Amino acid sequence: MRLKSFFKINIVILLSILLSSCASFKPTGLYDIPAPPDMRANVNGFYSVSVFSDYVTDEIWHTESPSCISVENVFSGQQDGVGALKIKWDRPGGGCKWIGMGIGWDNWAPKDLHAIINSAAVQFWVRNTKGSSKGLPWAVCLEDYNGAQAWTGITPNNITGGTVSEDWTMVTIPLSAFDFITNDADMYSIKQMLIQFESAGEVMIDNIEIVPFKGSIKNQAQVAYTQVAPIIDGIINAGEWPLQSMQTENAIISITSDENNLYISAVVKDNDPLNNIQQDENIWNGDALEIAFSTNTTADANRTRYLFTDKHLGIKLNEQPIVWDWTAKKQLNNTTVHTKKTETGYNIEASIPWKEINTSPWTPGNIYGVEVGIDDGSSAGARKFQYRWNNSYTEGFNINPSLWGEMIIKISE
């Protein structure tokens, strides 16, 4: 009994000590020192930002034909760091059906781009080893692990200054420019970047990276939704064509609209004006004005095929002009077109009813795709050249909407 009493007394004393000690306990974090911030380079949490830097590794491959392409790791003349890539290719001379290279960066791990698709770009530096060129005859692709491919081209709009010279020049390709929709490419699981080479050339490239990017590399124009329709007489008066104009190398083009009509004017420099002997769908093969545009604001701007809501119209430019609708394959009725020769070329003004092209008018506040081209014909009856507003380097806007620029519809002041 004495032993039991002894243990009871000691247990009571021990509990008293513990309870009195609890009054002096203080809460303490698991770590007294906060974790250091993540200093790794990233774009909004995407960490696989370095596609190529300095050294050729087993992540890089190319067409196995020395007569078509050579890819060399060089360690002099680089833009930055230790090394760069020197690429020489010749598709026509080498006899290869396809010339390309691939980079399975980040040790070929799947790359999830979906969170940065509208806020990042592929960016790299390039220079010619000799001379200068307008643009790069390349197409760039992001390929997923199922082999589906999202492609885009490189135009002067992608190149700082529009020209590749012997000096290092930056090239920027927004991720949003890659066509993930057409071939159902999976932006959640990108395997590699491909570059397809056309024509021939020799360049150095360095520091291919994924970088933050906002905005657009496409030309943009403000197009007025006018309250007062311009007079269609071939005389372009000041104030008739409000807001910004689109310019090509040989023309100043203005577009406006109202609820009834689309209006187009142009002041064109031409030493041999208003020559077009073609008929119907062939009017492009002489002096003509072409315009392609969207009527669907939700259409993917990087689609490479026309939708039913896309339009491609042409105005034959001679003394008896007509308007041709290539998408509907017919001449349009109830249009008004006037041309007028000037000391330096000609003027053209046109009015095209929206109902004639079976669409609703553009809505103020929206953005639509658009491209305008001036076809320069000769007295011999054929087109010599086509001047384009958004994509002066690459032909094919008549079939490929990804080559269009953008127009923002505004209310006329």
Side-chain angles (χ1 to χ4, degrees), residues 54 56 73 102 108 153 156 161 187 203 231 293 323-324 344 350 362 373 382:
D54 294 332
V56 172
N73 206 170
W108 295 93
M187 67 180 69
V203 302
I231 299 172
F293 56 90
V323 180
W324 182 262
T344 57
W362 293 322

Side-chain angles (χ1 to χ4, degrees), residues 188-213:
Y188 290 80
S189 183
I190 295 301
K191 176 183 179 181
Q192 63 179 330
M193 180 183 299
L194 302 175
I195 302 176
Q196 176 179 298
F197 300 91
E198 302 293 341
S199 187
E202 182 174 307
V203 302
M204 290 178 62
I205 62 175
D206 201 0
N207 292 330
I208 307 176
E209 300 175 295
I210 307 296
V211 300
F213 177 84

Side-chain angles (χ1 to χ4, degrees), residues 103-336:
I103 308 175
W105 81 101
D106 197 15
N107 200 29
W108 295 93
K111 275 77 67 176
D112 183 355
L113 302 178
H114 87 278
I116 60 169
I117 198 68
N118 293 312
S119 60
V122 176
Q123 193 172 86
F124 61 90
W125 293 84
V126 64
R127 71 178 183 89
N128 281 333
T129 57
K130 186 177 181 180
S132 63
S133 58
K134 192 82 170 176
L136 287 168
W138 300 359
V140 183
C141 165
L142 295 172
E143 182 182 70
D144 69 19
Y145 266 85
N146 292 317
Q149 299 176 339
W151 286 93
T152 189
I154 298 180
T155 74
N157 292 352
N158 297 103
I159 301 167
T160 302
T163 301
V164 179
S165 67
E166 295 179 27
D167 297 322
W168 284 106
T169 304
M170 184 181 291
V171 178
T172 304
I173 310 171
L175 293 182
S176 60
F178 290 87
D179 182 12
F180 285 92
I181 294 177
T182 299
N183 293 322
D184 196 24
D186 184 4
M187 67 180 69
Y188 290 80
S189 183
I190 295 301
K191 176 183 179 181
Q192 63 179 330
M193 180 183 299
L194 302 175
I195 302 176
Q196 176 179 298
F197 300 91
E198 302 293 341
S199 187
E202 182 174 307
V203 302
M204 290 178 62
I205 62 175
D206 201 0
N207 292 330
I208 307 176
E209 300 175 295
I210 307 296
V211 300
F213 177 84
K214 291 184 179 180
S216 175
I217 62 167
K218 296 184 176 184
N219 287 338
Q220 289 187 328
Q222 294 186 16
V223 172
Y225 191 87
T226 186
Q227 305 298 318
V228 180
I231 299 172
I232 306 301
D233 57 5
I235 302 172
I236 299 176
N237 295 313
E240 275 192 319
W241 300 91
L243 297 179
Q244 298 177 354
S245 297
M246 304 173 182
Q247 295 190 27
T248 67
E249 293 181 36
N250 72 330
I252 298 175
I253 304 144
S254 295
I255 299 174
T256 188
S257 71
D258 58 23
E259 61 182 6
N260 297 312
N261 299 293
L262 166 65
Y263 305 102
I264 305 170
S265 74
V267 178
V268 183
K269 293 181 180 179
D270 191 338
N271 294 327
D272 191 16
L274 301 179
N275 278 302
N276 194 322
I277 61 173
Q278 308 297 334
Q279 300 296 323
D280 298 337
E281 70 270 15
N282 295 316
I283 65 169
W284 61 269
N285 200 19
D287 282 340
L289 185 151
E290 297 184 41
I291 179 171
F293 56 90
S294 64
T295 62
N296 179 2
T297 59
T298 65
D300 177 21
N302 300 307
R303 65 194 181 281
T304 56
R305 301 172 185 171
Y306 268 49
L307 302 176
F308 289 116
T309 52
D310 295 328
K311 304 296 180 181
H312 179 209
L313 310 178
I315 304 173
K316 176 181 177 179
L317 299 176
N318 61 9
E319 300 299 332
Q320 295 180 320
I322 65 164
V323 180
W324 182 262
D325 185 340
W326 278 289
T327 46
K329 300 180 181 179
K330 66 178 184 178
Q331 181 177 328
L332 297 182
N333 299 317
N334 302 314
T335 61
T336 304

Side-chain angles (χ1 to χ4, degrees), residues 4 20 25 27 29-30 38-39 44 60 66 72 130 148 164 246 261 302 306 324 373 388:
K4 290 182 179 179
S20 63
F25 286 169
L30 185 60
D38 191 343
M39 301 302 292
N44 295 337
I60 297 178
E72 180 184 358
K130 186 177 181 180
V164 179
M246 304 173 182
N261 299 293
N302 300 307
Y306 268 49
W324 182 262
R388 293 174 293 276

